[in-house]
Amino acid sequence: MSIKEIDLDPDKKFGIGFPLNYDRESYGFFKQNQTYFEQIQDNIKNLIMTKIGERPGNVHFGCRIHEFIFEQNEPEILNTRCSEAIKEALAQWLPHVSLLRTTATARGNTLQLNATFQSDFNDSIIEQTLEFDNAFIESGEGETTTSGNTGGGY
């Protein structure tokens, strides 16, 4: 069965959705993604937002983008470094996803990333806006948010 066939079947699910929330209506404990588009959005966000070394059991999973929070705010350099880090992570963990374009901007200790992706399995364009706020503060802990939400994770 192909991804497109699974996508069209309302009884099939692709995986758990993020953020992790209990859902009484789902089979299992967590909310599940109904479509491939929802799942690939979550997979991309999960990959980029995870610091390398952060995931127990798979310390190589993640993206180096967190290293650029306190770099000089030179738009061309920042954008190039972020693009390279994302492409490197995608090549290793999501090789069926391509980065089409990024715009990275820094405001104080916040790095805002607007990125556009495309997947081999779907014709839809995937747009993500991610904010990395106060990463690598003195304790080594920081908050990561998306689209203005507050709190850890996304």
Side-chain angles (χ1 to χ4, degrees), residues 38-56:
E38 291 172 351
Q39 185 62 43
I40 198 66
Q41 283 182 305
D42 284 347
N43 289 349
I44 292 167
K45 188 184 303 183
N46 188 25
L47 176 62
I48 294 172
M49 303 289 276
T50 302
K51 297 174 191 172
I52 293 175
E54 177 180 15
R55 178 172 276 184

Side-chain angles (χ1 to χ4, degrees), residues 47-48 50-52 62-89 99 102-113 131-137:
L47 176 62
I48 294 172
T50 302
K51 297 174 191 172
I52 293 175
C63 185
R64 294 183 309 108
I65 200 164
H66 300 270
E67 298 171 10
F68 311 131
I69 301 297
F70 293 114
E71 292 294 318
Q72 285 212 292
N73 187 5
E74 296 180 31
E76 290 303 315
I77 295 172
L78 187 61
N79 197 46
T80 300
R81 292 189 71 192
C82 288
S83 293
E84 289 171 357
I86 293 169
K87 286 178 183 177
E88 177 184 291
L99 177 65
T102 60
T103 304
T105 54
R107 291 184 327 272
N109 293 340
T110 300
L111 172 65
Q112 181 175 352
L113 177 71
E131 287 188 359
F132 303 87
D133 187 29
N134 294 324
F136 299 118
I137 57 176

Side-chain angles (χ1 to χ4, degrees), residues 78-148:
L78 187 61
N79 197 46
T80 300
R81 292 189 71 192
C82 288
S83 293
E84 289 171 357
I86 293 169
K87 286 178 183 177
E88 177 184 291
L90 289 173
Q92 182 171 3
W93 300 104
L94 296 172
H96 57 280
V97 176
S98 302
L99 177 65
L100 301 178
R101 160 176 70 252
T102 60
T103 304
T105 54
R107 291 184 327 272
N109 293 340
T110 300
L111 172 65
Q112 181 175 352
L113 177 71
N114 296 307
T116 306
F117 304 89
Q118 188 168 25
S119 170
D120 294 345
F121 301 122
N122 189 315
D123 296 331
S124 299
I125 300 298
I126 303 159
E127 294 190 14
Q128 297 276 351
T129 298
L130 307 169
E131 287 188 359
F132 303 87
D133 187 29
N134 294 324
F136 299 118
I137 57 176
E138 211 169 295
S139 69
E141 303 276 330
E143 292 188 27
T144 309
T145 62
T146 61
S147 303

Side-chain angles (χ1 to χ4, degrees), residues 14-20 29-33 38-39 42-43:
F14 278 93
I16 61 173
F18 290 95
L20 294 176
F29 191 76
F30 296 112
K31 172 183 83 85
Q32 296 177 308
N33 287 323
E38 291 172 351
Q39 185 62 43
D42 284 347
N43 289 349

